[in-house]
């Protein structure tokens, strides 16, 4: 008999505090702003919580990865590798262009800066970045997941061996330790 692991949402209401606070909800992945807004996925269902004391809201759409930047720019990838951005004015998802990919390859993770620069990884662990104007460029290296902070000054990633990498100019530096997922914070914290 398979046992489903319990998934809990734990947030730190005071980043300087040492304790985690249990919040209601079961999520597989989440992303939050420094103001406490949280976006998450339960399976492919999208959930949103505007603040720590607000109720969770179900959002239309089905995604396999979601990220939100500090000022509320939300991006995600669906199971087909299509890329979306949340139009907060009209409360809908807008499709974005994708980089040129190999046959059978698809986007799997994406992250955004406040001004719309995207970083993404593919099913072949290739890395791409997209300018705020919309042009894509391939980046050297291989990662399964990537994260960029709000102003774009910090880019971190995880490879298939769960090794941690940090972007230094035009190259990657390996950082000690192993993680399954990483998130670059506003002030360079991860």
């Amino acid at each position: 008999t398979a046992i489903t692991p319990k998934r809990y949402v734990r947030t730190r209401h005071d980043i300087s505090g040492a304790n985690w606070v249990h919040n209601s909800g079961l999520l597989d992945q989440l992303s939050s702003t420094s103001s406490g807004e949280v976006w998450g996925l339960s399976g492919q269902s999208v959930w949103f919580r505007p603040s720590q004391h607000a109720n969770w809201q179900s959002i239309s759409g089905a995604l396999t990865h979601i990220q939100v930047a500090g000022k509320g720019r939300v991006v995600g990838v669906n199971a087909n590798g299509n890329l979306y951005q949340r139009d907060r004015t009209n409360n809908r998802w807008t499709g974005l262009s994708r980089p040129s990919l190999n046959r059978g390859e698809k986007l799997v993770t994406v992250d955004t800066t406040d001004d719309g620069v995207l970083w993404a990884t593919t099913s072949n662990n290739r890395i791409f970045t997209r300018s705020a104007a919309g042009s894509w460029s391939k980046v050297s290296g291989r990662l399964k997941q990537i994260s960029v902070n709000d102003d774009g000054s910090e880019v971190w990633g995880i490879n298939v061996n769960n090794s941690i990498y940090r972007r230094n100019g035009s190259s990657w530096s390996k950082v000690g330790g192993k993680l399954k997922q990483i998130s670059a914070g506003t002030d360079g914290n991860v």
Side-chain angles (χ1 to χ4, degrees):
T1 306
I3 298 172
T4 303
K6 293 189 178 207
R7 302 164 301 186
Y8 294 102
V9 178
R10 294 195 183 271
T11 59
R12 288 179 89 164
H13 65 283
D14 176 2
I15 197 68
S16 63
N19 296 320
W20 290 89
V21 176
H22 179 266
N23 286 273
S24 64
L26 299 174
L27 298 175
D28 299 304
Q29 190 220 332
L30 66 84
S31 182
S32 64
T33 66
S34 56
S35 65
E37 181 179 298
V38 180
W39 288 79
L41 299 176
S42 181
Q44 293 184 33
S45 299
V46 181
W47 292 89
F48 168 66
R49 190 173 185 177
S51 67
Q52 181 178 351
H53 301 291
N55 291 325
W56 286 101
Q57 302 168 22
S58 177
I59 303 295
S60 65
L63 299 174
T64 55
H65 188 82
I66 193 166
Q67 287 297 127
V68 60
K71 293 181 181 171
R73 181 182 299 269
V74 184
V75 293
V77 175
N78 72 5
N80 296 322
N82 295 319
L83 180 61
Y84 295 92
Q85 178 173 291
R86 186 73 177 172
D87 179 340
R88 307 270 309 244
T89 304
N90 298 313
N91 290 321
R92 62 186 175 122
W93 295 102
T94 302
L96 299 175
S97 69
R98 295 181 297 179
S100 178
L101 302 176
N102 296 328
R103 173 174 240 144
E105 184 179 27
K106 61 184 181 177
L107 293 178
V108 291
T109 71
V110 64
D111 202 355
T112 184
T113 65
D114 280 331
D115 60 1
V117 173
L118 303 180
W119 285 79
T121 60
T122 72
S123 54
N124 291 345
N125 302 309
R126 293 196 306 154
I127 307 162
F128 290 88
T129 187
R130 179 182 177 262
S131 70
S135 64
W136 286 96
S137 301
K138 185 180 176 311
V139 177
S140 65
R142 297 271 187 186
L143 297 173
K144 68 176 184 178
Q145 191 252 325
I146 199 159
S147 183
V148 59
N149 71 344
D150 297 339
D151 67 8
S153 63
E154 294 283 337
V155 183
W156 292 75
I158 305 295
N159 74 2
V160 294
N161 298 316
N162 296 324
S163 296
I164 306 163
Y165 287 86
R166 180 180 184 204
R167 188 83 174 158
N168 290 316
S170 61
S171 64
W172 296 97
S173 297
K174 188 174 182 180
V175 177
K178 301 266 186 183
L179 292 172
K180 291 185 178 183
Q181 185 177 346
I182 197 162
S183 183
T186 302
D187 297 322
N189 297 319
V190 292

